[in-house]
Amino acid sequence: VLETLIRVHWLLGGRPNDLVSMRAGHIDRTGDVWRYDVDGHKNEHREQELAYYIGPKCQAILAPLLEGKRADDLVFVYP
C-alpha cells in the first residue's frame, strides 16, 4: 500500500495529507480523466476548491484499490 501511495503521489504531485485522506466517493470516475475533489484541505477556510485530475497511468494504479469500496472508505488502508 505504501508503494502505491508513493507512486500516486509522484504522478499527482499532491500534498501527502490530501492523498492519505482520499476516499473512494471523492473520486469522480465518469470521464476519461478522473477528478479527485479534496474534502478538508488547507485552504478550505478561504472558500477555495482543490481538485486533482487523475490520468490513465494513475487510474491503472488506483483502479484495483477502488474495487469493492464504498463511498466513505479510505483508498489507502494500511493492514
Side-chain angles (χ1 to χ4, degrees):
V1 174
L2 183 57
E3 179 183 340
T4 305
L5 177 61
I6 291 169
R7 290 174 61 202
V8 169
H9 185 240
W10 176 262
L11 291 168
L12 291 183
R15 294 183 183 101
N17 190 47
D18 294 342
L19 300 178
V20 170
S21 62
M22 183 185 290
R23 296 193 181 271
H26 294 164
I27 301 172
D28 178 12
R29 297 184 273 170
T30 56
D32 290 336
V33 176
W34 296 353
R35 178 184 163 123
Y36 165 46
D37 292 308
V38 180
D39 187 34
H41 58 88
K42 78 176 201 175
N43 283 322
E44 189 174 36
H45 69 282
R46 295 184 177 138
E47 298 181 11
Q48 295 178 350
E49 293 183 11
L50 178 60
Y52 296 102
Y53 295 91
I54 304 170
K57 289 181 182 178
C58 196
Q59 288 175 15
I61 296 168
L62 287 174
L65 294 176
L66 294 171
E67 289 181 16
K69 296 230 185 225
R70 296 179 310 212
D72 59 337
D73 289 345
L74 290 169
V75 174
F76 299 102
V77 179
Y78 302 104

